[in-house]
Structures are given as structure tokens and as C-alpha cells.
């Protein structure tokens, strides 16, 4: 049984084809990075328009790579929440059109649950129950994941998401967009101990995050205390040291909160997903922590960490349970938890 899945929540148009046994036949991602780079961030209207232009060519390419015909598709999946509403609507409309035309069931998938399920896909075996960390441009949340579709929220960011902080710090340092990979690259030649940036909530019981203050601290480190504006630094040790110290502060907090969540839930498995989990120092630090705690760590390879449609295979679970989506399915911009 072949599933065709569509993802258009932010700035990647993606179409995947996978089987009910979770074998990925194609996972095509058309990135819009170049379109948004000159604005220094994702522009929602530009993203929606680009999805409209890209969704059918991406679909054709996925069918070609999978060597599958439309007639061989048994169900259509769309990630309808959370994300930018105009962007999501393109995927939702395309998926409805396809399911209606092919006369096959429509299924919905939640982008957050899908990011954790990407770790399950990569592992090739069951990973539930587990603690799940979704760390992306829009979310930094810890969950107790009972099953692929039952998540209890343990904590989340009260302001910026970790990926958003990477993107904003990259802009402050003049490193361009998207910020995560650029900061990681810059940090590689810097000293992570050069600037003692605060680690928010590190010694508090709560499992929440805050990254907005860290971004301000980076500005002060660069321009002087209390000064929030100024030109980006020249390439050199100061820029590299700030990038490395910022990255270390984010990594320290993420790792400490994962350790705390594992302790509180008693789980021995940690699954991590979302674009920031592509960050190598984060992956290394999580691996060390998990090893010391006797915890199994599941992080997918980079192409399954960042936005992609294959992770929508979480909907195979819904298909097994006969939980199909109605044809008046809506795009839902915010994460509403278990539906
Ligand atoms: O999951 P994702 O592709 O899209 C959202 O659902 O938001 O995550 C994108 C975020 C961006 O903020 C990007 O800067 C960040 O993930 N990111 C990284 C790295 N690669 C992507 N952050 C840190 N280090 C990286 N290597
Ligand atoms: Zn995402």
C-alpha cells in the first residue's frame, strides 16, 4: 500500500511516497531558502505563493523517483498543523484535490508529532513510549510521547524557539539566512567558553525554555551593555567566539532539560526532531548525556530532521485505526495537542 504525503507548513515544499511498512520510496524537498534569504527570514505570503508554484512539480518528481503511478496511491496524507496558515492551505487544498480525484482516503498529520515520528522511521523499530524533544524554527517543546499519536506536553519555550534564536543571532552576526547552519559553521572556529551567556531556567524545576534573553545578551556582547543596535562584526575571533558561546548556551539548556524530563518520566528513550537537531554539537552532547544515563537516543539523519513529507508517515497509524480526515479539513496554524 502506497501513501503520498504533502508538507507545506513553512518554507519547504515536500512530497513523499512511502509504504504502510514505512519504507520511503521518495522524499522530495523543494527549498525556498533563496527566495527568503534577501528578506532575512520567511515571508508568509512569498512562501504560500512559492508552494503553489512548486507543489505539482514536486509531486511529479516524487512519483518519478519512486517509480510509482498516481493510480498506485492508496491514500493521501497532508500535514495540516501547525505552520503558516497560507502555506498550509496550499498543501491541504492539493491533498484534497488528489484524494478526491483518485477516490482514496485523506489523512491528516500533525507536523510536531511527525518530527518525532521521523526518529521512529530512521530507527526502523518502535521507540514509544519515549521523551520527545521538538526543536525547530517554530517550536522548542518537550513531550512525554506515549504512542506516536498521544503526546503530553512537559514544557515549551515561553518566547523564541531555539531555531528562531539561531536565525536571529545569525542576523545580528551578519551570517545570513538560514541561521542555524551558518552559526554552527562559524562556531566551529570559536571558543564556547569565551562569553558566559546565561542559561535560562537551568536550575529551575520547570521544563520550559527561554531564548529571547540570550539573543539580547549576544547584542550586548557585541555592541556594549545596554546597546542593542550596531553593525555586524567583521569576520574574526570575536564573531566566532560569540557564535560558539551562544551555541553552547543553547546546547547546555536543551541537554539539561532533556535529562530532567527523562528523570521525571522515568523513560529510557529520547527521540529528537526538528531542524535544530541537525546541529552536530547538540547531537554529540545529547549522545554523551544519554550514554551516561543509560538512555537510548533516537535522532534521524539531517534530511529527516528538517522539514520533509516522509515524516507524515505518522498518519499510517491513523490509517490502521480508520481515522480518516474529512474533506472539510482545515489548516490549523497553532499546535493544539492531541486531537
Ligand atoms: O524543522 P525545521 O526545518 O522547520 C520548522 O518546522 O521550523 O527547522 C528550521 C530551523 C531553522 O530555525 C534553522 O535555522 C534551524 O532549524 N537549523 C539549525 C541547523 N539546521 C537548521 N539550527 C542549528 N544548527 C543547525 N545545523
Ligand atoms: Zn518543522
Amino acid at each position: 500500500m502506497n501513501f503520498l504525503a504533502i508538507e507545506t507548513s513553512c518554507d519547504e515544499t515536500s512530497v513523499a511516497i512511502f509504504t504502510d511498512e514505512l519504507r520511503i520510496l521518495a522524499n522530495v524537498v523543494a527549498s525556498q531558502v533563496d527566495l527568503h534569504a534577501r528578506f532575512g527570514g520567511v515571508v508568509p505570503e512569498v512562501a504560500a505563493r512559492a508552494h503553489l508554484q512548486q507543489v505539482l512539480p514536486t509531486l511529479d518528481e516524487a512519483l518519478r523517483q519512486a517509480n510509482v503511478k498516481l493510480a498506485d496511491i492508496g491514500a493521501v496524507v497532508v500535514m495540516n498543523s501547525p505552520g503558516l496558515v497560507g502555506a498550509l492551505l496550499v498543501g491541504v487544498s492539493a491533498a484534497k484535490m488528489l484524494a478526491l480525484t483518485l477516490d482514496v482516503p485523506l489523512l491528516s498529520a500533525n507536523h510536531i508529532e511527525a518530527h518525532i515520528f521521523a526518529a521512529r522511521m530512521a530507527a526502523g523499530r518502535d521507540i514509544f513510549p519515549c521523551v520527545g524533544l521538538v526543536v525547530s524554527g517554530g517550536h522548542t517543546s518537550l513531550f512525554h510521547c506515549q504512542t506516536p499519536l498521544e503526546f503530553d506536553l512537559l514544557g515549551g519555550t515561553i518566547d523564541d524557539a531555539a531555531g528562531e534564536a539561531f536565525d536571529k543571532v545569525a542576523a545580528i552576526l551578519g551570517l545570513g539566512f538560514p541561521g542555524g547552519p551558518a552559526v554552527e559553521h562559524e562556531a566551529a572556529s570559536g571558543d564556547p567558553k569565551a562569553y558566559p551567556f546565561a542559561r535560562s531556567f537551568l536550575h529551575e524545576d520547570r521544563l520550559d525554555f527561554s531564548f529571547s534573553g540570550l539573543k539580547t545578551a549576544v547584542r550586548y556582547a557585541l555592541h556594549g551593555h545596554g546597546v542593542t543596535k550596531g553593525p555586524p562584526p567583521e569576520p574574526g575571533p570575536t564573531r566566532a567566539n560569540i557564535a560558539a558561546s551562544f551555541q553552547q548556551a543553547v546546547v547546555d539548556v536543551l541537554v539539561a532539560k532533556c535529562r530532567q524530563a527523562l528523570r521525571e518520566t522515568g523513560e529510557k528513550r529520547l527521540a529528537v526532531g526538528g531542524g535544530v537537531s541537525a546541529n552536530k554539537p547538540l547531537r554529540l552532547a545529547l549522545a554523551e548525556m544519554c550514554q551516561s544515563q543509560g538512555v537510548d537516543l533516537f535522532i534521524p539523519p539531517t534530511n529527516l530532521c528538517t522539514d520533509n513529507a516522509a515524516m507524515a508517515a505518522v498518519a499510517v497509524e491513523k490509517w490502521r485505526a480508520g481515522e480518516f480526515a474529512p474533506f472539510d479539513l482545515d489548516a490549523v496554524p497553532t499546535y493544539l495537542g492531541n486531537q
Side-chain angles (χ1 to χ4, degrees):
M1 162 81 178
N2 295 320
F3 293 74
L4 185 146
I6 303 179
E7 148 69 19
T8 60
S9 69
C10 190
D11 61 341
E12 325 272 11
T13 315
S14 181
V15 178
I17 296 168
F18 45 80
T19 69
D20 55 336
E21 287 163 341
L22 306 182
R23 202 155 58 84
I24 301 172
L25 305 180
N27 189 18
V28 180
V29 180
S31 174
Q32 304 175 5
V33 160
D34 295 344
L35 274 182
H36 300 287
R38 65 193 169 105
F39 302 108
V42 177
V43 183
E45 290 77 9
V46 174
R49 200 173 313 130
H51 284 308
L52 207 53
Q53 288 164 344
Q54 285 299 323
V55 71
L56 292 180
T58 310
L59 188 147
D60 284 341
E61 180 58 18
L63 290 167
R64 198 192 62 76
Q65 286 188 15
N67 198 18
V68 159
K69 295 189 191 59
L70 273 179
D72 302 328
I73 300 297
V76 177
V77 188
V78 63
M79 280 195 266
N80 71 317
S81 175
L84 303 169
V85 71
L88 286 168
L89 275 172
V90 178
V92 169
S93 307
K96 285 181 186 174
M97 177 273 292
L98 260 181
L100 273 171
T101 315
L102 299 175
D103 195 21
V104 298
L106 177 69
L107 293 150
S108 65
N110 181 288
H111 189 93
I112 299 293
E113 291 159 6
H115 266 309
I116 294 299
F117 200 75
R120 155 73 184 86
M121 308 265 296
R125 64 180 166 104
D126 193 18
I127 64 166
F128 299 93
C130 63
V131 166
L133 171 71
V134 177
V135 66
S136 70
H139 294 87
T140 305
S141 307
L142 271 166
F143 298 94
H144 192 182
C145 312
Q146 312 286 355
T147 72
L149 299 171
E150 286 169 282
F151 285 23
D152 296 320
L153 183 67
L154 300 172
T157 181
I158 61 160
D159 42 53
D160 292 349
E164 191 179 352
F166 267 95
D167 292 335
K168 288 178 176 169
V169 165
I172 295 167
L173 297 180
L175 296 173
F177 173 84
V183 170
E184 180 180 344
H185 183 260
E186 182 69 15
S189 57
D191 174 6
K193 294 200 176 78
Y195 294 85
F197 293 134
R199 274 78 169 144
S200 296
F201 304 151
L202 192 63
H203 301 295
E204 291 183 32
D205 283 345
R206 60 199 288 192
L207 287 168
D208 291 323
F209 303 92
S210 166
F211 295 108
S212 169
L214 186 53
K215 178 189 63 194
T216 310
V218 165
R219 285 206 171 99
Y220 289 176
L222 200 57
H223 308 304
H225 191 74
V227 187
T228 54
K229 280 207 175 104
E234 295 294 322
T238 301
R239 192 172 82 172
N241 287 343
I242 292 178
S245 303
F246 158 78
Q247 179 175 261
Q248 192 61 50
V250 175
V251 168
D252 285 353
V253 173
L254 292 173
V255 172
K257 293 296 166 185
C258 284
R259 191 195 301 120
Q260 198 177 323
L262 288 160
R263 204 170 46 231
E264 283 181 20
T265 57
E267 294 297 350
K268 287 287 173 197
R269 287 185 277 213
L270 175 65
V272 186
V276 181
S277 56
N279 185 275
K280 281 183 224 68
L282 175 63
R283 295 169 82 97
L284 270 176
L286 284 169
E288 271 172 28
M289 182 275 287
C290 285
Q291 203 183 13
S292 75
Q293 305 294 308
V295 167
D296 281 336
L297 174 64
F298 301 94
I299 311 188
T302 306
N303 65 325
L304 287 177
C305 285
T306 48
D307 287 350
N308 69 91
M311 64 190 192
V314 68
V316 172
E317 303 282 330
K318 291 189 181 177
W319 173 75
R320 287 194 201 290
E323 289 173 22
F324 304 125
F327 277 97
D328 62 354
L329 180 75
D330 239 336
V332 181
T334 46
Y335 177 67
L336 299 177
N338 299 324
Q339 291 294 294

